[in-house]
Structures are given as structure tokens and as C-alpha cells.
């Protein structure tokens, strides 16, 4: 936590990831409840919902490795985060099952647009020695999203309804992102993302003495012979 407090860019990225995951991604776990309540309990209805999301993930991953490579990372993160909010609101307003499937496909399409540039920026801006600790926080956020969604959004869905909850969560995501990008840490992150990271040339890092080859290690000089005339040479008679 001390590292995140002293590195506002990394802290801002993790905060945006956590907020987007909890407000945008987590409510999507209650869409099966919406399908069973509004459209029926047949198994194929839920199967199509999961297939739509998985198809969007596959297409989004393919686009990230081809067409979207040329776009800026912060631009992709902001598009994905705000897109999650818009799609979540649209799912809450959906009254047609196939339209809901289409929005679920778009939801899956946006997921790689957030995770890929986010991971790249973290790898670039965090020192290699603390990669494990920083990515452990990312894993904690990802692991807690599902239980938090069940504990918080499940009872709320019974109180206010799934559709209303999706609309509220989507609008909150958009509002939070609008504020986050105007914070000093948000502006610093945007500026840092525009500066390309200098390429690391293999072998340019200084090697420790243990990693040096034996031929490159400095050799110890032999001890000099004692030139004091007052001391007898070895083997010299008394």
C-alpha cells in the first residue's frame, strides 16, 4: 500500500480498474437472474447469454492484437470503462431478449479493451522488483468482484429490481470515470501514457557479480613480495 501511495499513477490505474470491475463488470453477473425472471427459465436462454459474452471476448481479443494496436492505451481504457457503463444501462433498459444478447456481446467485446492496455501500463510504469506485489492487488480485485456482486447486488436486485440496479450501476460508472479523469492523478496518467517507454535492450542492464561470467570477473592481484631488507627471505640461513 505504501508503494501505491507514493506512485499516484499506479494507484489511479488500480482504482479505475477496481471501480470499473465492481460497478461495471460485477452487475453483469446478475443478468442471468434478469433473463430467468423476464424471459423464461429454459436452459438455452442462459446458454445463449454466456455464448454472447464469450463471443465478444474472443472478438475483442482478436481486435486488440490487430486493429486496435495503433490506438493509445489510455484512450482504450477510457472507451472500455465508459462503454461498460453505457452497455450496463442499455442492458437494464432492454425489453427484447435478442437485444439483450447483443449488449452482452458488446460487454464481452469491451473487456479486452480494458484489461490489455491496463496490464501493459502497469508493466511499464512499475519497477520489475515490485511487479508481484502490484499484480497481487489486481488479483484481489478480480477475485473479490464475484462475491461482492453476490452479496451486495443480489439483495439489491430483490429490493429495486435487476433492471433498475443495472441502470444505476451503469450511470454511476460513467459519473465516476468523468470525475477520475479530471483528478491530478488522472491527468498525470494521461500525460505519462503519451510518453513511450524507452525500449530495453537485452544485456543493457548491469549484471551483478554473481551473474558475470568467470572470464569477465575482476581478478585479484597476487600479494606483493615483502621488500623489507630487515626481514629474512624464506630459506635464507640464519
Amino acid at each position: 500500500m505504501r508503494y501505491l501511495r507514493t506512485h499516484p499513477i499506479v494507484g489511479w490505474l488500480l482504482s479505475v480498474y477496481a471501480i470499473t470491475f465492481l460497478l461495471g463488470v460485477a452487475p453483469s453477473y446478475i443478468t442471468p437472474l434478469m433473463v430467468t425472471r423476464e424471459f423464461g427459465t429454459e436452459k438455452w436462454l442462459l446458454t445463449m447469454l454466456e455464448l454472447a459474452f464469450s463471443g465478444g471476448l474472443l472478438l475483442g481479443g482478436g481486435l486488440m492484437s490487430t486493429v486496435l494496436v495503433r490506438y493509445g492505451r489510455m484512450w482504450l481504457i477510457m472507451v472500455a470503462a465508459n462503454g461498460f457503463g453505457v452497455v450496463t444501462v442499455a442492458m437494464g433498459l432492454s425489453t427484447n431478449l435478442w437485444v439483450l444478447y447483443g449488449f452482452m456481446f458488446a460487454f464481452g467485446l469491451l473487456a479486452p479493451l480494458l484489461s490489455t492496455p491496463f496490464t501493459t501500463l502497469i508493466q511499464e510504469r512499475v519497477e520489475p522488483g515490485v511487479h508481484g506485489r502490484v499484480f497481487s492487488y489486481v488479483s484481489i480485485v478480480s477475485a473479490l468482484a464475484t462475491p461482492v456482486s453476490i452479496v451486495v447486488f443480489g439483495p439489491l436486485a430483490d429490493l429495486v429490481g435487476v433492471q433498475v440496479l443495472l441502470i444505476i450501476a451503469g450511470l454511476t460508472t460513467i459519473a465516476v470515470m468523468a470525475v477520475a479523469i479530471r483528478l491530478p492523478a488522472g491527468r498525470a496518467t494521461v500525460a505519462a501514457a503519451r510518453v513511450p517507454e524507452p525500449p530495453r535492450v537485452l544485456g543493457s542492464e548491469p549484471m551483478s557479480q554473481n551473474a558475470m561470467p568467470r572470464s569477465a570477473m575482476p581478478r585479484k592481484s597476487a600479494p606483493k613480495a615483502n621488500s623489507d631488507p630487515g626481514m629474512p627471505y624464506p630459506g635464507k640461513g640464519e
Side-chain angles (χ1 to χ4, degrees):
M1 294 299 293
R2 182 172 58 186
Y3 181 85
L4 299 181
R5 288 195 298 267
T6 57
H7 293 74
I9 293 177
V10 180
W12 187 89
L13 286 171
L14 286 175
S15 299
V16 167
Y17 185 79
I19 292 171
T20 305
F21 221 99
L22 293 175
L23 292 178
V25 177
S28 67
Y29 290 110
I30 63 175
T31 50
L33 184 61
M34 176 181 172
V35 171
T36 56
R37 288 182 178 181
E38 301 295 329
F39 302 105
T41 58
E42 291 86 352
K43 294 181 180 179
W44 72 270
L45 297 176
L46 298 179
T47 302
M48 287 296 298
L49 185 70
E50 297 301 322
L51 287 176
F53 179 74
S54 301
L57 281 176
L58 291 174
L59 180 59
L63 291 176
M64 277 303 304
S65 61
T66 54
V67 179
L68 299 178
V69 175
R70 69 190 70 169
Y71 292 94
R73 292 164 190 152
M74 275 303 302
W75 185 84
L76 290 172
I77 289 176
M78 295 307 299
V79 167
N82 288 282
F84 280 137
V86 172
V87 173
T88 303
V89 172
M91 286 193 294
L93 296 174
S94 299
T95 57
N96 182 277
L97 179 62
W98 294 101
V99 173
L100 177 64
Y101 289 157
F103 287 128
M104 199 64 182
F105 178 85
F107 202 95
L109 183 68
L110 291 170
L113 275 66
L114 174 69
S115 59
T116 304
F118 167 79
T119 304
T120 304
L121 280 174
I122 290 292
Q123 289 176 334
E124 288 181 349
R125 301 299 166 182
V126 175
E127 292 81 0
V130 292
H131 272 176
R133 281 176 284 178
V134 172
F135 277 105
S136 66
Y137 289 108
V138 179
S139 300
I140 290 172
V141 171
S142 303
L144 289 178
T146 300
V148 167
S149 172
I150 295 173
V151 172
V152 177
F153 294 107
L156 288 177
D158 291 331
L159 292 176
V160 301
V162 179
Q163 292 92 331
V164 175
L165 184 59
L166 289 173
I167 294 171
I168 294 174
L171 293 176
T172 305
T173 303
I174 297 173
V176 169
M177 291 307 303
V179 174
I181 198 63
R182 289 171 172 81
L183 294 175
R187 293 195 297 266
T189 305
V190 173
R194 293 172 180 170
V195 179
E197 186 74 6
R200 298 180 181 179
V201 181
L202 183 62
S204 60
E205 296 84 358
M207 291 190 300
S208 63
Q209 189 169 352
N210 294 331
M212 288 184 179
R214 184 179 292 262
S215 60
M217 294 180 63
R219 297 183 179 181
K220 297 181 179 179
S221 58
K224 296 181 179 180
N226 195 343
S227 59
D228 188 357
M231 294 294 293
Y233 290 103
K236 184 177 180 182
E238 297 293 337

